[in-house]
Amino acid sequence: MKKLVLGTIAAAMLATSGLAAEYTLKFSHVVSPNTPKGKAADFFEKRLEELSGGKIDVQVYPSSQLYKDNAVLKALRLNSVQMAAPSFSKFGKIVPNLAIFDLPFLFKDIDHLHRVQDGEVGQALKDKVTAKGIVALDFWDNGFKQLSSSTKALIEPKDAEGQKFRIMSSKVLEAQFHAVNANPQMMPFSEVYSGLQQGVIDGQENTISNIYTKKFHEVQTDLTISNHGYLGYLVVMSKRFWKSLPADLQANVKQAMKEATAKERQFAQELNDSQLEKIKEYAKNTGKLKIHTLTDEQREAWRTKVSKIYPEFYSDRTIGEDLIKKTIATK
Ligand code: LMR
């Protein structure tokens, strides 16, 4: 607390003294500020500026203002942006193994997922990213994904047949929807709302916080609480920027990240819960949205169908059998 106050005072003194920060760190992301990632990025900004005594000026750009999700990793490698937290699918061309987190029904619950991220599998994945010249900082949560449609209730796997679903650029998600005879369409996050509104796609899958903050539920008729897959992020930094920092500022980055990650997990839980209540209120007040929750038996029917895709990703050039089996075995 004392440290926090001193840091705040130092940052304020630096700001009022008119001294410019020594480093500018641009953090680009695609979601709204009022999401787990958005709030954690803002927390990180405040905390790193405090800890560094104002030497690092952190600038957060939400809602694809700076880069769309398909462009940010290239920009990061060029040091045009210094930080990002793309979802795992978006690392497909660099480290395809991260798509392990896209495999449907792989994680028993959020605690199992955290044990995987904090353990051997998580470290192996971070090492693969580091080997590609990108600094891998930490995993951030969003949460489990839900299904929505503008034409029908998605209760049984056969309900998805022939429907056009927006997916992130992920071979796993493509296979997941093919497994239920649906038509997956890759699309950047920034185009999903208009895609749904104009009927270019029938439905989509995302977490409650992404659905609520981008108003996807307002252009859908049915929302199914399926918790069938997970959405999360790897927070990454430009290697050139990292190497330009002296050791004390690198330590400040690590500390601010550690605190932001702890907060982020809390935000993810709280926002997905509270925003589901808001969507329920919207459904009740407008009568324009039906919300369905899968029973255990219905979930099992989806799990049986879509988990058949796992062996398609046993090659190390995709995800790797070893990583998948270690994840399943993680206690
Ligand atoms: C998506 O494209 O649906 C998500 O990756 C967006 C995000 O960053 O949460």
Side-chain angles (χ1 to χ4, degrees):
M1 185 63 195
K2 205 166 170 191
K3 255 191 182 161
L4 194 110
V5 172
L6 287 175
T8 313
I9 294 170
M13 277 168 61
L14 215 80
T16 50
S17 70
L19 285 180
E22 290 170 32
Y23 300 87
T24 301
L25 188 169
K26 291 186 191 152
F27 188 158
S28 169
H29 68 81
V30 299
V31 292
S32 299
N34 192 24
T35 53
K37 178 162 58 180
K39 286 186 78 160
D42 291 345
F43 175 90
F44 176 83
E45 169 181 354
K46 186 164 162 282
R47 208 47 200 117
L48 183 55
E49 288 179 351
E50 283 166 0
L51 287 168
S52 70
K55 285 189 188 153
I56 304 181
D57 173 21
V58 183
Q59 300 172 0
V60 178
Y61 294 87
S63 295
S64 311
Q65 275 168 19
L66 206 54
Y67 291 102
K68 285 192 186 179
D69 46 18
N70 46 2
V72 75
L73 282 172
K74 195 168 168 208
L76 191 94
R77 286 176 122 179
L78 295 170
N79 197 33
S80 307
V81 65
Q82 288 68 45
M83 253 178 105
S87 55
F88 302 115
S89 322
K90 292 162 193 168
F91 289 84
K93 289 207 177 84
I94 305 173
V95 180
N97 319 73
L98 274 169
I100 191 165
F101 294 110
D102 288 341
L103 282 173
F105 296 100
L106 184 66
F107 301 98
K108 290 184 205 86
D109 50 34
I110 202 78
D111 293 334
H112 175 215
L113 175 104
H114 288 158
R115 286 195 298 276
V116 171
Q117 290 183 336
D118 298 343
E120 194 191 333
V121 171
Q123 193 53 51
L125 290 166
K126 280 190 195 166
D127 291 348
K128 284 181 192 291
V129 174
T130 308
K132 296 286 177 178
I134 291 177
V135 179
L137 292 171
D138 229 333
F139 294 110
W140 279 3
D141 275 344
N142 190 319
F144 288 97
K145 291 179 287 184
Q146 322 300 348
L147 287 165
S148 71
S149 166
S150 60
T151 59
K152 52 158 51 166
L154 301 166
I155 310 293
E156 296 175 53
K158 70 171 172 38
D159 297 327
E161 276 176 24
Q163 295 248 315
K164 279 184 262 158
F165 286 98
R166 175 270 172 168
I167 55 164
M168 296 183 274
S169 53
S170 158
K171 295 272 177 240
V172 171
L173 300 178
E174 200 171 23
Q176 166 191 283
F177 281 111
H178 280 152
V180 292
N181 299 317
N183 296 323
Q185 317 246 325
M186 291 186 190
M187 192 179 270
F189 184 62
S190 53
E191 292 169 22
V192 181
Y193 179 86
S194 60
L196 291 170
Q197 193 184 35
Q198 290 160 18
V200 177
I201 41 174
D202 301 308
Q204 59 85 49
E205 53 161 20
N206 224 312
T207 57
I208 288 296
S209 75
N210 279 350
I211 293 172
Y212 176 74
T213 52
K214 291 294 175 205
K215 300 188 187 330
F216 297 161
H217 61 292
E218 296 186 10
V219 283
Q220 298 279 262
T221 57
D222 292 85
L223 173 66
T224 302
I225 306 301
S226 52
N227 292 313
H228 61 280
Y230 168 76
L231 175 72
Y233 313 106
L234 181 61
V235 190
V236 283
M237 184 173 268
S238 144
K239 193 169 172 187
R240 206 186 309 165
F241 180 77
W242 174 254
K243 281 181 140 182
S244 73
L245 295 176
D248 59 332
L249 293 183
Q250 286 183 346
N252 293 156
V253 168
K254 283 190 182 159
Q255 179 62 25
M257 255 324 283
K258 194 172 158 204
E259 293 176 28
T261 298
K263 281 270 177 199
E264 214 272 346
R265 288 184 177 181
Q266 254 173 287
F267 293 148
Q269 181 75 53
E270 285 163 13
L271 288 175
N272 280 306
D273 288 351
S274 63
Q275 293 173 345
L276 176 59
E277 291 312 308
K278 297 221 163 91
I279 294 180
K280 284 183 181 167
E281 264 170 46
Y282 165 87
K284 199 167 146 216
N285 294 341
T286 64
K288 288 186 184 163
L289 178 76
K290 288 191 274 319
I291 304 178
H292 318 276
T293 301
L294 296 185
T295 63
D296 289 349
E297 206 180 315
Q298 288 159 346
R299 270 189 102 238
E300 189 53 26
W302 285 87
R303 197 190 64 75
T304 307
K305 275 261 179 203
V306 297
S307 56
K308 286 200 182 115
I309 67 170
Y310 294 5
E312 287 178 42
F313 298 94
Y314 278 176
S315 152
D316 289 339
R317 277 181 287 113
T318 56
I319 295 175
E321 183 171 4
D322 188 45
L323 281 183
I324 296 176
K325 296 204 163 150
K326 273 193 182 138
T327 296
I328 294 172
T330 299
K331 289 276 172 282

